[in-house]
Amino acid sequence: MDFATALRAILRQDPDVILLGEVRDAETAQVAFSAAMTGHLVFSTMHTNSTVETLARLYDLGLKPTVIASALEAVISQRLVRRICPRCRESVAPSDDQLRMLGPVFSDAPPQFCHGRGCPDCNGTGYAGRLPICEIFPPTPIRPAPRYFPGFVFSTGSSSRRAHSEKEPS
């Protein structure tokens, strides 16, 4: 029994929500999107580097753009970054290269830059715990689709992960 066959057996039980491990092949993608189009809420993972890359990957797996457009509710991409230790956190002046990487948006009021100097609580690393950096991509009727996804629309609200990862939350 393969993964797609097991997924079909699960669908015969008519669940409201399906938690699917990972979409790795065309058959699994087709079954998952068929389930989504028939009213099931399907959650799955896919190894890509960004939210937009997920759309290209689904297309590469053989899904038609119209199927992707009608069944996809949102794509969420996440990275985990190290959190600066709150006990030894201290402000530092940003270098010119760091400010240049942030771009003109932050030229008037650059964000506060911090680092951890190291303490017994963080074992001298300057970091304690991790923080998720998420990119959420909801298909919306704001921007026309690229030529590979006719009928699909993209939100203009997606912003660079780098800009968010450079600044530390308050």
Side-chain angles (χ1 to χ4, degrees), residues 53-76:
E53 193 176 310
T54 303
L55 301 174
R57 177 80 175 113
L58 291 169
Y59 183 75
D60 289 345
L61 286 174
L63 290 175
K64 294 179 180 175
T66 54
V67 171
I68 297 170
S70 63
L72 191 69
E73 291 292 327
V75 179
I76 301 172

Side-chain angles (χ1 to χ4, degrees), residues 123-146:
N123 294 323
T125 64
Y127 299 101
R130 290 195 254 177
L131 177 73
I133 303 295
C134 299
E135 178 182 12
I136 301 172
F137 186 85
T140 61
I142 295 175
R143 189 172 73 190

Side-chain angles (χ1 to χ4, degrees), residues 4-150:
T5 305
L7 182 56
R8 283 191 193 92
I10 291 169
L11 286 172
R12 283 193 282 277
Q13 304 301 315
D14 197 29
D16 293 329
V17 179
I18 300 168
L19 301 174
L20 185 62
E22 183 180 354
V23 174
R24 294 183 186 182
D25 57 44
E27 188 177 13
T28 304
Q30 189 63 45
V31 173
F33 271 77
S34 294
M37 289 172 47
T38 57
H40 302 279
L41 181 59
V42 180
F43 291 96
S44 182
T45 62
M46 182 171 274
H47 290 280
T48 59
N49 291 322
S50 69
T51 55
V52 176
E53 193 176 310
T54 303
L55 301 174
R57 177 80 175 113
L58 291 169
Y59 183 75
D60 289 345
L61 286 174
L63 290 175
K64 294 179 180 175
T66 54
V67 171
I68 297 170
S70 63
L72 191 69
E73 291 292 327
V75 179
I76 301 172
S77 174
Q78 133 179 328
R79 299 275 175 135
L80 292 175
V81 296
R82 297 181 295 180
R83 183 183 290 249
I84 296 174
C85 177
R87 297 229 169 31
C88 63
R89 177 182 173 150
E90 58 187 20
S91 295
V92 294
S95 69
D96 289 338
D97 287 339
Q98 289 171 324
L99 291 174
R100 198 172 13 266
M101 282 177 30
L102 286 175
V105 175
F106 295 102
S107 61
D108 293 336
Q112 178 185 7
F113 280 62
C114 299
H115 81 279
R117 71 179 173 277
C119 69
D121 287 343
C122 63
N123 294 323
T125 64
Y127 299 101
R130 290 195 254 177
L131 177 73
I133 303 295
C134 299
E135 178 182 12
I136 301 172
F137 186 85
T140 61
I142 295 175
R143 189 172 73 190
R147 63 188 174 114
Y148 297 113
F149 297 99

